[in-house]
Amino acid sequence: PGNGPCPAGIYEIKDGTLPEGTAVLLQDKVVTAAAPGFGFFMQVHPDDADYVGVDYSAVFVYVGGDFTAIEGDRVTVTGAVQGFFGQTQVVLSGTETIESSGNALPDFEPATVADLVEGGTRQEELEAALVVLTDLEVTDIEPPPGPGDGAPTQEFEVEGGLRVNDLFFLFDPFPSVGQNYPQLSGVVRWANGYSKLEPRGPGDLPVTLAGFGPDGFIEVGQTAVPSPGLSVQLTTNAAVDTVVALTYENAALVTGPASVTVPMGSASVDVTLTGVASGTAGVTASLDGTMLTASIQAYSDADARIPTLDPSNLDVSISATGTLTVNLNLPAPAGGQTVDLSTLPGTFATVPANVVIPVGELSGTFLVTAGDTAGMETVTADILGATSDATVNVVDTPSVGLVIAEFYYDQPGGDDGFEWVKLFNGTGAAVDLSGYALAWGGNDYTYGQLQLVGTVEPGACFLVGGPNGDAESGFAGVPMFDQAEAFVPGAQNSGDTADGMALFDVPAAMINGGTVPVDAVIYGGNNGNGLLDETGAAGVVDVGDAGSGESVVLQDDLSWGILADPTPTQCLPFPSAG
């Protein structure tokens, strides 16, 4: 009626009965996969009145923009039949109508590589349908791009020539040549001159071990889940009860069941073990050739506890307090573990006589209280002669408020993930950073913003950025950030026109071009863009442009300089640059 589209079936579209250009109305068909901004796949369900088999039962609906349909929706669409470089599809006109949601999908059709490859025995019949294949070996992880495609394709090829693509899901980790998949499922898609399998997510991959851990502790004579917990984790929810085998490196120390079962519909299960005698032994979980090992330490109350102080070097301002943590090698015994504390020479700071770590816990904290004189103090933690020392530097730092103390923005070889800012709390009291944000830019401070989280103690520093680090950025190894979060977009390496990094006492979402910072460092050439400083006016340039691998730093005279060797792990007093 009215020259509108005629009701049609997917079979008639896919087997060529309806020619290209035909306007069609597809009613109440189930969506089996959806690619936002691109399109979705529809298939005739065996429960539908017009179902006559899986061949030619599925079709791709091209949208090329936003749509709301998701997997499990039953939808009605209008569109036109189109041939697109060998693929028969429906180009949506208007919007899809969702009739219902959460519907069951058709079962996966068992298929082989020979069925699905281009020119295969069922390639045209099963194109766009849900299929499942078994025993697939990866033969190529960089197959050449097909017509209209570009490298990297992020697809791989299995024995027999079938490509596995990433329209919905990118394998992570990516497979290696020779890797075997006992099963893969997804929809079949014709694209760029090849027939491809498109897994829709982890659920289309075989269920394998994703994790086994964490490493933990169990008391001798105890049968329980080791602390802080031990579990088997699968890559996806188990479709059936899944048995995971367990083996024991030394059953004279740690033992347990021969297997655990992950229930159908679950992706993990806790593992209960028994501590037999003091010592450390590995426990290995195995499933379909994948083996993961957790290290479990059995212990008793009689085993020696050894303390370790963290951090090993702590800066505390005069008359302020800092926090040290005592870590144990084993959970505290019954009644708790008393750790004796002392200072030497005992002139510049004090600590409590001891700290008691509760039973079963691995750590406890205590306060270091600085006196009114600057100097160095050694704090010792002692458990029956097993000791650990930490150096406490009582420093006479200026009352500067919460400020930017050091900024590293130019990492050799690329800045992404390596930039960081060190804040110093010179307020004399702990500062909750939830009301603060960093922002940076060249024209103004709206180029990039980062909401701060956490607390910085008086006289302490707070390191934000990364999360990477190496010797060039001031770290010999993996850095320990107080807030490990990359600057996105990255802070700008400066030049003739200055750039700036600023600290604001408002949430990041509230920062605009006129927001006045509480502290800022303007670095580079001239401040031609009028970047604001804490006065609310265009600031004077604080420091020149740091070279690659260098940082800009607030010095002991509160002027800014450039450090050839950045100091992210050191706090104040302010260093002298050079």
Side-chain angles (χ1 to χ4, degrees):
N3 293 320
C6 294
I10 293 177
Y11 295 109
E12 289 75 27
I13 294 171
K14 292 299 294 290
D15 68 10
T17 301
L18 297 176
E20 292 185 31
T22 303
V24 295
L25 170 67
L26 294 174
Q27 296 174 300
D28 197 30
K29 296 305 176 200
V30 67
V31 174
T32 57
F38 183 51
F40 51 90
F41 291 80
M42 300 172 63
Q43 189 166 342
V44 184
H45 194 280
D47 293 341
D48 293 345
D50 60 340
Y51 181 78
V52 293
V54 69
D55 290 355
Y56 301 114
S57 67
V59 69
F60 175 66
V61 178
Y62 175 74
V63 181
D66 294 336
F67 60 89
T68 58
I70 61 173
E71 182 181 314
D73 285 349
R74 280 188 170 271
V75 300
T76 295
V77 301
T78 57
V81 178
Q82 181 191 66
F84 186 75
F85 296 99
Q87 179 191 50
T88 300
Q89 62 184 16
V90 173
V91 179
L92 184 71
S93 59
T95 59
E96 77 281 9
T97 300
I98 298 177
E99 308 291 353
S100 59
S101 299
N103 297 285
L105 303 186
D107 291 336
F108 293 102
E109 175 71 6
T112 66
V113 170
D115 288 334
L116 302 182
V117 291
E118 47 278 6
T121 53
R122 299 179 70 190
Q123 181 254 311
E124 290 187 3
E125 289 88 341
L126 294 180
E127 197 277 319
L130 289 172
V131 300
V132 59
L133 299 95
T134 58
D135 193 22
L136 302 174
E137 182 179 341
V138 178
T139 56
D140 192 346
I141 58 172
E142 292 183 288
D149 205 357
T153 63
Q154 296 183 320
E155 61 189 21
F156 60 91
E157 193 171 279
V158 298
E159 186 176 9
L162 180 65
R163 298 192 175 203
V164 181
N165 196 39
D166 66 330
L167 177 63
F168 306 107
F169 173 76
L170 177 62
F171 283 62
D172 185 15
F174 203 70
S176 56
V177 172
Q179 184 170 341
N180 183 271
Y181 287 99
Q183 177 178 301
L184 286 178
S185 54
V187 295
V188 184
R189 174 172 171 245
W190 178 266
N192 307 108
Y194 290 95
S195 182
K196 304 178 182 183
L197 180 69
E198 299 280 5
R200 299 161 302 163
D204 281 343
L205 276 61
V207 176
T208 59
L209 279 177
F212 181 51
D215 297 342
F217 301 88
I218 189 165
E219 193 169 357
V220 171
Q222 182 185 50
T223 298
V225 177
S227 174
L230 179 66
S231 65
V232 167
Q233 300 96 36
L234 303 181
T235 53
T236 188
N237 289 342
V240 296
D241 288 350
T242 301
V243 177
V244 178
L246 299 175
T247 55
Y248 301 89
E249 178 186 24
N250 189 344
L253 301 178
V254 177
T255 190
S259 65
V260 291
T261 300
V262 181
M264 180 178 63
S266 297
S268 66
V269 66
D270 289 339
V271 178
T272 297
L273 301 177
T274 298
V276 181
S278 294
T280 301
V283 180
T284 299
S286 305
L287 177 63
D288 292 335
T290 299
M291 296 187 296
L292 300 174
T293 299
S295 179
I296 306 298
Q297 185 163 4
Y299 68 94
S300 70
D301 285 352
D303 293 330
R305 268 64 176 179
I306 300 173
T308 302
L309 284 173
D310 183 50
S312 59
N313 193 296
L314 176 68
D315 294 326
V316 183
S317 297
I318 285 177
S319 301
T321 59
T323 301
L324 285 175
T325 299
V326 181
N327 296 310
L328 300 180
N329 63 315
L330 297 173
Q337 179 64 61
T338 299
V339 183
D340 295 324
L341 305 173
S342 62
T343 59
L344 186 71
T347 305
F348 307 106
T350 59
V351 295
N354 57 62
V355 60
V356 178
I357 300 175
V359 58
E361 298 294 321
L362 285 164
S363 64
T365 61
F366 62 92
L367 291 179
V368 179
T369 303
D372 57 5
T373 305
M376 188 176 73
E377 200 77 58
T378 298
V379 177
T380 299
D382 187 324
I383 303 176
L384 299 176
T387 63
S388 176
D389 292 338
T391 299
V392 173
N393 300 297
V394 178
V395 294
D396 186 5
T397 57
S399 178
V400 293
L402 183 66
V403 296
I404 297 171
E406 191 173 356
F407 175 30
Y408 179 83
Y409 57 83
D410 191 354
Q411 165 77 6
D415 306 331
D416 291 350
F418 285 93
E419 300 166 327
W420 50 261
V421 166
K422 182 170 66 180
L423 301 176
F424 172 71
N425 180 7
T427 67
V431 175
D432 180 359
L433 294 175
S434 61
Y436 289 82
L438 291 175
W440 55 92
N443 294 326
D444 56 31
Y445 296 118
T446 62
Y447 179 70
Q449 298 92 32
L450 178 65
Q451 179 64 49
L452 296 174
V453 294
T455 300
V456 55
E457 298 298 326
C461 290
F462 186 92
L463 193 65
V464 56
N468 303 319
D470 57 18
E472 294 286 355
S473 57
F475 295 100
V478 177
M480 296 297 293
F481 288 92
D482 297 293
Q483 182 176 343
E485 190 168 351
F487 297 164
V488 180
Q492 293 168 312
N493 298 344
S494 199
D496 293 338
T497 302
D499 296 283
M501 172 63 71
L503 175 68
F504 293 84
D505 60 354
V506 297
M510 295 179 60
I511 297 172
N512 57 47
T515 308
V516 178
V518 295
D519 189 41
V521 54
I522 300 172
Y523 56 97
N526 67 84
N527 190 11
N529 290 322
L531 288 168
L532 302 181
D533 64 12
E534 57 275 4
T535 68
V540 175
V541 174
D542 296 296
V543 65
D545 185 16
S548 181
E550 299 178 334
S551 66
V552 293
V553 66
L554 189 62
Q555 302 174 109
D556 49 10
D557 62 357
L558 301 188
S559 66
W560 282 87
I562 294 174
L563 270 182
D565 297 313
T567 60
T569 58
Q570 300 176 27
C571 201
L572 300 181
F574 303 100
S576 295

